[in-house]
Amino acid sequence: MSYQLFEEQDYTSKYRQHRPGYPKQLFEYIINYYFDGKRTNEQIPLALDVGCGNGQATIELSTFCDRVIGIDVSANQIARAIPKDNIEYRCQKGEDLNFFPLDSVDLITIATALHWLDIEPFVEQVQRVLKPNTGVFAVWTYALGTLDNPIADAVYHEFNQVTLFPYWNSKRWLADDYYQSLLPLLPYKSTLVEHTIDKRTETTLGQFLGFIQTLSGLQTYRKQEGEQALHDLLERLREKLIECYVKTPNRQANDESVDVNSIKMTVSSPIRLYLMRKSSKK
């Protein structure tokens, strides 16, 4: 089954506001692979973006595809998806693509969501609906990343690996090795091409803490421990990060002259992209 961990209305609003998009280079790799490296102004006729959330990848696909369909199991995510004339959004499971005819889709993408699906039924659906000989399957993911301040990075990793450890769904850890453990389950292995893309996000402390609130482990923490416990947890993390970026011998972390939410920081999160082509009807 697909896991619905990004469903609540308040949560999906934060997700759209704070989840970062994907670099242009990633989509250039997809286009280059689809067209076999040929320079062309052609558009890809039909793309399906599975686990689209509120459309961070879908909107980028729409610039080089005639038509894009984005699907997600969360109705609230779909309701907040980024609109565009050539995009259609549907509340639909990735394991059920029966609304597509056999051999009808040119490109299927799944961005940082493969680990939430039942992979074998999903792959069966991909094999059924992709066009033979030309259809491309693109999968990518990234880990939680590292911060540009080593002490802050240690705080961040302790928060993820220790504090939130009991609250992460076990499927989430599949992304930590960039889906290497899932590669045996993917189709068309003879055509597989991998790319690692450097992703560096220039952000602020306020925006970064907003991103933290979109993590599935934190959503589970809130459900199990309550709103006050969540507030206290985030406040402790905030104070620790402020101390890492602001506090000096001559300036304390609570110095009112510092706009702590505007503190600049950089998050590095390399992306691993896997590209495969359906070579036949088999």
Side-chain angles (χ1 to χ4, degrees):
M1 61 175 290
S2 298
Y3 282 75
Q4 300 189 44
L5 297 175
F6 307 97
E7 173 65 26
E8 295 181 12
Q9 185 171 334
D10 178 62
Y11 187 83
T12 54
S13 296
K14 288 185 173 71
Y15 196 98
R16 175 165 175 173
Q17 183 179 358
H18 295 294
R19 280 287 172 123
Y22 299 103
K24 182 179 178 182
Q25 185 182 19
L26 183 149
F27 299 99
E28 290 174 345
Y29 278 133
I30 295 174
I31 296 168
N32 186 68
Y33 185 86
Y34 182 88
F35 289 110
D36 289 320
K38 300 173 185 173
R39 291 182 174 273
T40 179
N41 292 321
E42 288 184 67
Q43 295 279 98
I44 297 173
L46 175 60
L48 169 66
D49 187 25
V50 178
C52 66
N54 46 53
Q56 289 98 334
T58 323
I59 194 71
E60 298 295 336
L61 293 169
S62 71
T63 64
F64 58 88
C65 297
D66 287 331
R67 182 183 176 211
V68 186
I69 297 176
I71 65 171
D72 199 281
V73 294
S74 168
N76 276 325
Q77 290 278 27
I78 293 296
R80 286 162 179 75
I82 305 167
K84 195 176 177 186
D85 288 346
N86 65 334
I87 298 176
E88 174 188 348
Y89 291 106
R90 299 186 182 191
C91 188
Q92 184 80 30
K93 293 180 179 180
E95 298 93 339
D96 180 9
L97 304 180
N98 288 323
F99 58 95
F100 282 110
L102 180 71
D103 301 335
S104 61
V105 181
D106 300 280
L107 170 66
I108 296 177
T109 61
I110 181 163
T112 324
L114 181 64
H115 52 293
W116 298 125
L117 274 63
D118 279 346
I119 296 173
E120 292 181 352
F122 170 59
V123 167
E124 289 175 3
Q125 290 293 299
V126 168
Q127 292 173 307
R128 188 184 70 82
V129 304
L130 263 184
K131 287 183 179 178
N133 303 313
T134 59
V136 169
F137 183 34
V139 177
W140 67 90
T141 192
Y142 61 89
L144 289 175
T146 57
L147 306 186
D148 54 350
N149 179 308
I151 301 175
D153 187 58
V155 169
Y156 177 45
H157 279 77
E158 180 183 20
F159 180 77
N160 285 312
Q161 306 284 349
V162 180
T163 305
L164 287 186
F165 183 84
Y167 303 95
W168 288 114
N169 185 289
S170 59
K171 280 180 166 281
R172 173 253 175 273
W173 303 109
L174 294 171
D176 268 11
D177 72 347
Y178 296 96
Y179 292 162
Q180 288 293 305
S181 61
L182 300 182
L183 290 185
L185 301 178
L186 297 183
Y188 321 128
K189 294 180 184 62
S190 65
T191 68
L192 177 65
V193 173
E194 299 182 22
H195 296 284
T196 300
I197 302 152
D198 184 35
K199 179 173 179 284
R200 293 171 58 84
T201 303
E202 304 294 330
T203 188
T204 64
L205 180 59
Q207 291 170 335
F208 179 70
L209 290 170
F211 165 75
I212 291 291
Q213 292 182 63
T214 72
L215 298 177
S216 61
L218 209 65
Q219 183 183 10
T220 302
Y221 183 95
R222 182 179 67 174
K223 289 179 179 178
Q224 294 186 12
E225 308 298 340
E227 292 290 346
Q228 186 59 51
L230 175 66
H231 176 272
D232 295 344
L233 178 69
L234 289 172
E235 187 60 26
R236 289 193 296 272
L237 176 64
R238 179 177 181 272
E239 291 300 323
K240 288 179 180 180
L241 291 175
I242 289 172
E243 188 168 336
C244 294
Y245 281 97
V246 175
K247 190 174 181 180
T248 67
N250 298 318
R251 184 172 61 187
Q252 298 300 310
N254 61 357
D255 185 343
E256 293 183 0
S257 67
V258 179
D259 179 4
V260 294
N261 285 328
S262 298
I263 294 169
K264 295 184 184 301
M265 57 193 301
T266 302
V267 184
S268 298
S269 305
I271 297 172
R272 186 71 53 81
L273 170 66
Y274 303 97
L275 296 166
M276 295 143 274
R277 189 186 305 277
K278 183 176 180 178
S279 54
S280 70
K281 287 183 176 290
K282 299 292 187 181

